[in-house]
Amino acid sequence: MATELDRKARGPESPVGLEDAHRIAKHSPENGELPEGRAQMSGGATHLPSGKSNGGAVKAEERSAKAEAARASLLAAAKTCLLEVGFANLSTRKVAEAAGVPLSQIHYHFGSKSGMVLALLKAENDRLIDRQRIMYAEDRPLSARWKKAVEFLEEDMASGYVRLLHEMMAASWSDPELLEDMREVIGTWQQVLTDVAEEAEELVGGYGPFSPTEIVTLVGAIFIGGEASC
């Protein structure tokens, strides 16, 4: 009677057939495994089957690779289009068509036309700044390194970087947020040249009333003016 009352108090139990019982026993925690596709519980943590976990990771990597490819295609198309028509006439729709991706991808990756071109400029700028630093760190006379820097300028004008830089400088005059970004871009070049000016200062014995930073400002203005006239 007591046993019957206890069973009723616990409520109805889920029926377990003989086949189920064998399966549960076979895949019990003591045997260290569970049926395929079922998560294992250990110490309060759920461990997904390795097959599904790896499959999710592969899909995530594929999505990431596709996103990076779309972004790279947009930047390449933006550079080509900008060099043809300039920033003011640049059409995001034509950029997306040239890249072979939906127009919405521009907003997804860059937020706006300005954001896209700025991303392009920063990518080009970072590459060239690294190039300059590596060159100036070489163990050879400063005059030889400066001559190489002038050769680099000719390469940069031919590649379209200088055009891109000046297009964004012009656009930044009417865009305060973009202006701050362009100050950062120009500042990276000023820092490289300041390091060179400080090295040269030790060789020539100083610049009279001018500091290395002031010399860089003057030289930078000459370069920008020369680039704009070409």
Side-chain angles (χ1 to χ4, degrees), residues 7 31 39 63 68 70 91 98-99 107 119 156 174-175 183 187 192 208:
R7 186 183 63 78
N31 290 329
R63 287 194 297 269
E68 284 301 315
S91 165
H107 179 75
D156 297 342
S174 58
D175 187 333
R183 282 174 176 166
V192 170

Side-chain angles (χ1 to χ4, degrees), residues 2-226:
T3 303
E4 181 66 14
L5 291 175
D6 292 340
R7 186 183 63 78
K8 290 182 178 180
R10 287 196 302 268
E13 298 177 356
S14 299
V16 178
L18 183 59
E19 184 178 347
D20 292 329
H22 284 310
R23 186 172 65 253
I24 293 172
K26 179 180 178 181
H27 300 291
S28 64
E30 289 78 3
N31 290 329
E33 59 178 316
L34 286 174
E36 183 178 356
R38 181 175 297 178
Q40 296 184 9
M41 303 294 293
S42 176
T46 302
H47 304 283
L48 295 176
S50 58
K52 289 189 176 181
S53 177
N54 291 339
V58 169
K59 289 182 179 179
E61 291 177 359
E62 290 177 351
R63 287 194 297 269
S64 178
K66 288 181 180 179
E68 284 301 315
R71 189 178 190 277
S73 296
L74 284 168
L75 290 179
K79 182 177 181 180
T80 299
C81 294
L82 184 141
L83 294 179
E84 291 177 354
V85 302
F87 179 77
N89 296 319
L90 185 65
S91 165
T92 54
R93 185 175 298 280
K94 289 185 178 180
V95 170
E97 290 175 354
V101 301
L103 178 61
S104 60
Q105 288 291 300
I106 291 179
H107 179 75
Y108 174 78
H109 288 287
F110 310 109
S112 64
K113 181 175 81 170
S114 295
M116 177 179 63
V117 179
L118 183 61
L120 171 62
L121 175 61
K122 286 186 174 182
E124 295 275 311
N125 197 71
D126 289 346
R127 179 178 62 83
L128 298 182
I129 288 294
D130 288 342
R131 180 198 65 185
Q132 298 295 113
R133 292 190 184 281
I134 291 173
M135 184 274 292
Y136 276 122
E138 294 176 358
D139 185 17
R140 55 177 176 161
L142 182 57
S143 59
R145 286 175 279 161
W146 182 258
K147 182 180 179 180
K148 186 63 178 177
V150 174
E151 294 175 3
F152 281 156
L153 174 59
E154 295 176 356
E155 293 177 11
D156 297 342
M157 293 183 70
S159 71
Y161 168 78
V162 173
R163 166 76 181 278
L164 173 62
L165 177 66
H166 281 261
E167 288 278 0
M168 295 306 286
M169 287 173 59
S172 70
W173 286 112
S174 58
D175 187 333
E177 185 175 347
L178 182 58
L179 180 61
E180 288 301 313
D181 289 319
M182 291 308 300
R183 282 174 176 166
E184 180 182 340
V185 170
I186 298 298
T188 58
W189 286 99
Q190 289 179 327
Q191 185 57 57
V192 170
L193 292 176
T194 298
D195 294 341
V196 175
E198 290 174 349
E199 180 182 350
E201 184 181 31
E202 298 179 1
L203 297 175
V204 301
Y207 301 113
F210 300 104
S211 68
T213 301
E214 291 169 332
I215 291 295
V216 167
T217 300
L218 293 172
V219 172
I222 293 173
F223 268 96
I224 291 175

